[in-house]
Amino acid sequence: MRTHTCGELNKTFKDQEVVLCGWVHRRRDLGKLIFIDLRDRYGITQVVFVPSVSPDAHTLAQKLGPEFVVKIKGSVSVRPPKNVNADSTTGDVELLAKELEILNPSKVPVFEIDDHIEAGEDIRLTYRYLDIRRSKVREALVLRHKVCQAIRSFLNNEKFTEIETPVLTKSTPEGARDFLVPSRLTPGSFYALPQSPQLFKQILMVSGMDRYYQIVKCFRDEDLRADRQPEFTQLDMEMSFVDEEFIYALTERLYQYIFKVVLNVDLPIPFPRLTHAEAMAKYNSDKPDIRQDKSNAKEFAFLWVVDFPLLKYNADEKRWDSEHHPFTGVNPQDIPHLESGAYEKVRGRCYDLVLNGNEIGSGSVRIHRRELQQKIFDIIGLPPEEAQSRFGFLLQAFEYGAPPHAGVAYGIDRIITILTGNESIRDCIAFPKTQKGTCLMTEAPSLVDKKQLKELGIVTIN
Ligand code: ASP
């Protein structure tokens, strides 16, 4: 329908006949002259309607309201120097309209499509399609896309295979509350949505896939904060025959690549490292912000925090829990402590990546031997029958030649939030949920028919 986009025209198109499509961003009616700013994803082009050029188009242009969708044929005219708008890439031209077609009128939008208008978040989320028309939100989504493409191209080049894992599955071991999905075909049984692909990615290592990644949704039914969503996206990775040094080096090169390709920033590597004990002693935090100037949004300070304790004591329940998850490897020097029961002294082979004071990822070298895994289950009080019923398939897989392996997962939403200088991860997700876990646009979660509940065996009464 169009020959060009609204972000494309400049002086070099002088006198060319073109067709643009887009939304009426703004209209100024000066009587004889009507100006509109025509907007699409790529930019804004000024269009002018003059009665002597096209009386019909000029008359119809009087009816245009904000956000009407239009198609305009016209010729590109170069603006006199005093009218040039230096702030816009198309600011040295305007389109002299010859034909106007209204493709669709629009109700008056509930808030102005303008980056400087601060509409409340609830209204923006209810009308998210209007919100995404604003360049701030759109640019975050485009940057997110670029980061994901950079991740893919880097990892593909490093011989990784992107593999999908199930969404309808069994409870996974990240320690949060599960979202459950009732099974119609097995009444009374439930799938859990994965808190991460942890078990599947480890099994893929047993399968010999060697290097796996996936940009994947994870689901955790937790109380929400500004940097949490019930469903969020991870870059999930797992590798065979590697140690922590390999993961650090690969990760550093990955971020260096992303920053170069997406932001044209040269990120210095290697990233500094602190042990968990050092971080706590020096910053009283396991995710310290080591930026020189904390208010500088353009400063990116990555930091590895390593040597976390393997186990933490749960005083309420008087037992030991895994600090990361129960598949985390044990620092070989600390095996004697594991045997003597000095659990607080045992360091796990796990690491966190911190960016500007935010934990943006974590991972570990895994346990790949059955006996050690059993020992950890014993310590965290997971009886063999329960370990069997929860992770039996993984334990069984480990009996068929599990290679040493390690992995990590990075939180895409958080990374994009930091890169775009936004405050909330909701600003970097196309259709986010509120702090209460609701989607204001679709009104999910919502009540369902009694009939559906009956089919699922959740209610039996009529
Ligand atoms: N599955 C872990 C997580 O989601 C990351 C990992 O150990 O690879 O935190």
Side-chain angles (χ1 to χ4, degrees):
M1 292 176 79
R2 58 186 171 185
T3 58
H4 296 82
T5 71
C6 297
E8 215 174 330
L9 302 177
N10 57 42
K11 279 201 277 225
T12 64
F13 293 87
K14 183 170 185 290
D15 296 332
Q16 272 188 39
E17 185 131 302
V18 300
V19 180
L20 299 184
C21 292
W23 287 262
V24 175
H25 188 62
R26 221 167 261 129
R27 190 176 73 108
R28 288 182 304 284
D29 192 337
L30 309 181
K32 276 255 152 355
L33 296 181
I34 297 174
F35 290 97
I36 66 167
D37 286 344
L38 189 66
R39 188 195 69 240
D40 66 11
R41 201 200 117 173
Y42 308 95
I44 291 185
T45 301
Q46 175 165 293
V47 184
V48 57
F49 295 88
V50 187
S52 61
V53 176
S54 168
D56 293 350
H58 181 267
T59 309
L60 192 55
Q62 292 168 351
K63 298 211 178 87
L64 294 177
E67 301 307 307
F68 275 42
V69 187
V70 296
K71 175 178 166 187
I72 300 167
K73 188 192 241 180
S75 63
V76 179
S77 82
V78 173
R79 299 195 207 177
K82 68 173 180 11
N83 292 346
V84 167
N85 174 1
D87 295 338
S88 160
T89 52
T90 61
D92 53 6
V93 295
E94 63 190 7
L95 187 65
L96 193 56
K98 296 188 174 152
E99 285 169 31
L100 165 65
E101 189 184 335
I102 297 180
L103 299 172
N104 216 345
S106 170
K107 286 187 170 178
V108 177
V110 288
F111 49 84
E112 225 180 295
I113 311 302
D114 186 321
D115 277 339
H116 308 293
I117 296 284
E118 264 325 314
E121 190 178 39
D122 281 7
I123 191 111
R124 293 200 288 107
L125 292 184
T126 307
Y127 295 89
R128 187 63 161 171
Y129 37 88
L130 297 181
D131 201 26
I132 296 175
R133 288 184 192 168
R134 303 194 314 147
S135 57
K136 186 172 171 231
V137 190
R138 188 182 61 236
E139 276 161 17
L141 297 182
V142 172
L143 186 118
R144 183 179 178 123
H145 160 77
K146 287 184 183 157
V147 168
C148 290
Q149 294 313 308
I151 290 171
R152 290 198 162 98
S153 87
F154 179 87
L155 293 178
N156 297 348
N157 207 26
E158 300 282 332
K159 301 193 172 59
F160 280 75
T161 308
E162 184 168 14
I163 303 173
E164 291 177 70
T165 52
V167 169
L168 295 177
T169 181
K170 234 173 129 95
S171 186
T172 47
E174 307 295 345
R177 200 177 293 109
D178 285 326
F179 282 101
L180 299 175
V181 179
S183 160
R184 181 179 58 84
L185 297 175
T186 318
S189 295
F190 293 81
Y191 301 98
L193 302 184
Q195 293 183 28
S196 79
Q198 187 64 34
L199 304 173
F200 289 104
K201 68 174 173 174
Q202 292 194 240
I203 285 176
L204 286 169
M205 296 302 103
V206 181
S207 308
M209 288 310 297
D210 197 52
R211 293 185 181 188
Y212 142 95
Y213 81 97
Q214 186 180 188
I215 295 179
V216 62
K217 278 286 176 72
C218 302
F219 306 86
R220 297 182 193 176
D221 189 2
E222 294 178 296
D223 291 332
L224 304 176
R225 298 195 297 248
D227 62 349
R228 283 215 183 133
Q229 284 274 301
E231 51 177 307
F232 58 95
T233 306
Q234 282 189 343
L235 163 60
D236 194 45
M237 294 193 261
E238 198 73 15
M239 289 145 257
S240 295
F241 308 113
V242 303
D243 59 8
E244 31 290 78
E245 291 301 332
F246 186 94
I247 303 266
Y248 301 154
L250 180 98
T251 298
E252 288 162 359
R253 286 193 299 116
L254 167 66
Y255 283 100
Q256 195 174 49
Y257 181 82
I258 296 171
F259 272 63
K260 188 71 202 166
V261 170
V262 181
L263 304 175
N264 197 24
V265 166
D266 291 303
L267 197 65
I269 60 170
F271 302 153
R273 289 183 205 173
L274 285 177
T275 65
H276 179 261
E278 287 165 347
M280 293 311 291
K282 192 160 171 206
Y283 299 96
N284 193 27
S285 166
D286 59 5
K287 42 178 197 275
D289 187 347
I290 59 164
R291 275 178 296 174
Q292 304 289 335
D293 173 6
K294 303 265 190 289
S295 57
N296 180 2
K298 291 262 158 358
E299 189 181 340
F300 299 105
F302 283 88
L303 169 73
W304 289 109
V305 180
V306 305
D307 284 348
F308 277 78
L310 181 73
L311 299 157
K312 58 173 181 262
Y313 191 65
N314 181 334
D316 292 340
E317 297 182 22
K318 299 205 174 40
R319 59 185 182 85
W320 290 89
D321 282 336
S322 295
E323 170 77 41
H324 187 47
H325 52 57
F327 308 107
T328 305
V330 182
N331 188 317
Q333 292 168 357
D334 297 344
I335 293 281
H337 298 310
L338 204 61
E339 263 138 33
S340 72
Y343 299 142
E344 69 288 349
K345 293 196 185 134
V346 181
R347 288 164 298 170
R349 294 183 72 179
C350 51
Y351 30 81
D352 276 6
L353 185 62
V354 175
L355 171 56
N356 294 0
N358 300 274
E359 183 206 313
I360 59 161
S362 65
S364 55
V365 175
R366 323 296 184 189
I367 298 172
H368 68 283
R369 300 285 288 266
R370 176 85 200 233
E371 318 75 66
L372 183 57
Q373 189 64 69
Q374 193 59 55
K375 170 110 189 132
I376 299 297
F377 286 155
D378 290 346
I379 294 171
I380 64 173
L382 199 65
E385 320 76 66
E386 200 188 327
Q388 198 54 40
S389 83
R390 287 184 62 193
F391 314 124
F393 58 102
L394 180 73
L395 302 178
Q396 179 166 331
F398 277 8
E399 292 178 348
Y400 290 89
H405 57 289
V408 66
Y410 296 109
I412 300 283
D413 312 285
R414 267 188 212 175
I415 293 168
I416 305 296
T417 308
I418 299 167
L419 295 194
T420 53
N422 273 305
E423 251 149 49
S424 158
I425 64 171
R426 292 189 292 277
D427 293 326
C428 301
I429 297 173
F431 301 104
K433 305 235 169 3
T434 63
Q435 305 256 21
K436 290 208 178 97
T438 61
C439 169
L440 294 175
M441 189 181 78
T442 62
E443 298 185 322
S446 52
L447 297 175
V448 297
D449 278 353
K450 267 265 175 59
K451 182 163 164 277
Q452 277 178 299
L453 293 178
K454 266 173 74 182
E455 264 175 2
L456 292 169
I458 290 181
V459 290
T460 45
I461 36 148
N462 278 315

